[in-house]
Amino acid sequence: AASLFDGDYNLVDFIELSNDDNLLERLDNGEMDVVAGANLTFHEDMVPSNETASGVSGLAFSKPYFYDENDSVSKTMATSQRDADWSSFVYWVVMSTIWAEENGVTSNDFREAPEVELFGPRFGWMFKGTIIGRGNYAEIYHRNAAALPLRANRNLINNGSTPQLCPPEINEISLK
C-alpha cells in the first residue's frame, strides 16, 4: 500500500485464506490482487489456459522473503501471471526491502533510497514508500520476530557465504 497508494492503508483489504482456497482462481477473477505468504512451488500452480501465449497460466512469485528453520519452505508474494506488470511491481517492492537492508537504509532515512521510474513517474517513490511504510527487510523481520524463528541461514543478508533468499537447489549446489 505504501508503494501503490501513497501510504494510504485504508485502500487495502486483508482477506484471510484457508488451505482449501484456490489462490489462482481468486487472483484471476479479481477477488484478490496479491497473496502474502504463498508457498513457492513451481509445479502445482500451473494450469492449462487459452488466455496466455504459452498455453498455461499460473502464479507469479516474488523473490522469497522468508525460509523456515529447515530452509525447506519459502514464503513469497504471489500474483497471477496474467498481469505481468503487476507481478513485476510486487517483485520489486519485495526487492526494495532487501536492497534497503543491504545498503543500510531504514525507515528513518528512507530518503536515501533512489527514486525509480520503472513503472512511470507516478511511482517514482515506490521504493521510498515501501521503506517508509514498512521498513527494510531487517525492520520487517524484527517487527514480526515473535511469530518467526531466529533470523539465520537464508533469512540473512548475504555476507559472502550463503546467498540470501536463493532457491534451495542453487544453495546446495554452490556450497558443495
Side-chain angles (χ1 to χ4, degrees):
S3 289
L4 190 59
F5 301 122
D6 299 321
D8 188 350
Y9 297 103
N10 295 318
L11 296 174
V12 177
D13 292 324
F14 291 94
I15 301 169
E16 191 166 331
L17 301 171
S18 73
N19 289 336
D20 297 329
D21 278 311
N22 182 324
L23 300 182
L24 181 58
E25 182 179 299
R26 292 189 74 180
L27 287 164
D28 281 348
N29 72 20
E31 289 180 55
M32 304 180 305
D33 296 312
V34 63
V35 175
N39 290 328
L40 179 61
T41 58
F42 292 107
H43 306 293
E44 298 172 16
D45 298 314
M46 301 301 291
V47 296
S49 172
N50 293 328
E51 298 180 30
T52 62
S54 67
V56 294
S57 181
L59 299 176
F61 298 101
S62 71
K63 185 169 189 82
Y65 58 82
F66 174 74
Y67 288 90
D68 71 2
E69 292 175 356
N70 301 320
D71 285 345
S72 60
V73 176
S74 56
K75 300 296 183 183
T76 70
M77 302 290 262
T79 56
S80 172
Q81 286 183 352
R82 290 185 182 179
D83 189 345
D85 289 339
W86 174 242
S87 297
S88 294
F89 187 91
V90 170
Y91 176 89
W92 285 110
V93 165
V94 171
M95 287 303 299
S96 70
T97 66
I98 295 167
W99 175 91
E101 182 181 1
E102 288 175 338
N103 289 278
V105 177
T106 68
S107 55
N108 291 328
D109 55 4
F110 68 94
R111 288 175 185 82
E112 300 299 318
E115 289 189 28
V116 295
E117 292 191 3
L118 186 62
F119 297 96
R122 167 145 173 22
F123 299 106
W125 254 59
M126 69 181 278
F127 285 3
K128 292 177 191 266
T130 300
I131 297 163
I132 192 173
R134 303 312 306 153
N136 68 28
Y137 183 79
E139 290 174 294
I140 294 168
Y141 204 98
H142 179 74
R143 196 171 40 257
N144 294 284
L148 299 172
L150 289 175
R151 190 166 176 212
N153 303 325
R154 288 187 290 169
N155 293 316
L156 294 171
I157 293 296
N158 184 356
N159 64 0
S161 58
T162 304
Q164 179 193 17
L165 309 172
C166 66
E169 312 78 53
I170 293 172
N171 189 36
E172 290 169 9
I173 292 168
S174 65
L175 295 179
K176 289 184 179 180

